[in-house]
Amino acid sequence: MFIMLYYKDPSTSQEIGRAYSLASRPGSDTLELYISMVHGRFTSKLDTAKVGDIYYVSGPYGQFRFDPKKNRKVLFIAGGTGIAPFMSMLRHIKEKGFDIDAVLIYSVRYPTEIIRKSELEDFAKSIGLKLVVTVTRPQQGDNWTGETGHINEEMVKRHVADLTERDCYVCGPLNFTNAMKAVLSNLGIESAKVKADVWG
Ligand SMILES: Cc1cc2nc3c(=O)[nH]c(=O)nc-3n(C[C@H](O)[C@H](O)[C@H](O)COP(=O)(O)OP(=O)(O)OC[C@H]3O[C@@H](n4cnc5c(N)ncnc54)[C@H](O)[C@@H]3O)c2cc1C
């Protein structure tokens, strides 16, 4: 699910709003959002937000849903802050104790951009999540020993041997979700088995 976050400029009364996915688990009394600061119209406002500014939310909205009772074998693919809905789902799975076989492939530019790293690693122990993080812009001195480069057919095949048995969920910016739909399609996954939350 996502919410709309709005800012109203007090001097002009102009309002601007953007959609943000919820990382909080269903039923949580807090809203956790992961926002990429892309220096656009809204994120520039957020970047300089100060006490006294008024932001408000509406929602929740959206159809990017996962029913752990129906979909036991899933593949989640996240690009950057596109990890948000999967964080919400994984927290829900853990809290309710659902028996799920989930693989998460998570693409970030730098290791420092991995959101909630220790919580994600903990899901491996608590709910058996298979976590694959790939860093697309590894730097010397990162000491990164995991996957590198963009998610492609070869990487998915290597980590998800039983891909055809899984329902696939993809979330992130438009370019990313388009690329991932193409990767899954090239691997023979019919589009009906792929749900995408597209931010564009
Ligand atoms: C359903 C939905 C859920 C969303 N959830 C999230 C979320 O959880 N976290 C999040 O960060 N964003 C999310 N977005 C995107 C968000 O709504 C805004 O589009 C984003 O924050 C940019 O707004 P802006 O006004 O700062 O940029 P704009 O002024 O609208 O755009 C400025 C420039 O930045 C580029 N740009 C916009 N978004 C990105 C991006 N993500 N990466 C790189 N370049 C970009 C645009 O192409 C444009 O050139 C979601 C969008 C949708 C539709």
Side-chain angles (χ1 to χ4, degrees):
M1 310 299 283
F2 68 91
I3 50 110
M4 290 298 298
L5 182 61
Y6 298 93
Y7 173 74
K8 192 169 185 173
D9 191 321
S11 53
T12 62
S13 289
Q14 264 197 342
E15 191 178 81
I16 173 168
R18 291 288 185 269
Y20 293 104
S21 302
L22 289 166
S24 353
R25 64 172 173 75
S28 166
D29 57 4
T30 58
L31 296 180
E32 186 172 323
L33 309 174
Y34 305 147
I35 301 180
S36 302
M37 289 304 186
V38 294
H39 309 296
R41 277 186 66 208
F42 191 80
T43 46
S44 298
K45 292 270 175 231
L46 274 181
D47 225 3
T48 53
K50 53 189 185 313
V51 173
D53 287 351
I54 297 177
Y55 285 83
Y56 60 98
V57 300
S58 69
Y61 309 106
Q63 297 300 324
F64 194 61
R65 292 164 191 226
F66 159 63
D67 183 347
K69 290 180 202 133
K70 287 192 193 143
N71 312 115
R72 211 191 81 75
K73 290 188 87 166
V74 287
L75 168 62
F76 297 148
I77 303 183
T81 45
I83 192 71
F86 302 125
M87 189 60 79
S88 175
M89 293 170 185
L90 291 164
R91 287 171 168 168
H92 183 60
I93 291 166
K94 181 179 170 184
E95 190 206 4
K96 299 289 179 193
F98 289 116
D99 175 25
I100 291 295
D101 175 347
V103 180
L104 167 64
I105 307 183
Y106 177 23
S107 175
V108 291
R109 290 178 305 175
Y110 310 105
T112 48
E113 287 186 349
I114 303 171
I115 297 171
R116 298 273 187 238
K117 185 167 186 271
S118 55
E119 189 175 355
L120 286 173
E121 286 167 352
D122 178 67
F123 287 135
K125 293 179 216 128
S126 56
I127 61 168
L129 173 73
K130 178 172 178 181
L131 173 66
V132 179
V133 179
T134 183
V135 172
T136 58
R137 298 186 199 176
Q139 311 288 306
Q140 266 191 349
D142 275 350
N143 295 323
W144 179 254
T145 54
E147 286 285 357
T148 54
H150 292 287
I151 300 168
N152 58 20
E153 287 81 355
E154 184 276 322
M155 192 187 290
V156 173
K157 258 197 328 206
R158 199 155 29 81
H159 290 286
V160 198
D162 53 359
L163 179 65
T164 52
E165 296 169 28
R166 293 179 184 271
D167 288 307
C168 303
Y169 292 77
V170 177
C171 183
L174 182 64
N175 291 349
F176 178 82
T177 49
N178 280 345
M180 292 306 104
K181 282 182 194 170
V183 164
L184 293 171
S185 164
N186 291 342
L187 289 170
I189 305 301
E190 41 187 290
S191 57
K193 290 195 87 179
V194 182
K195 263 195 165 192
D197 201 26
V198 182
W199 300 353

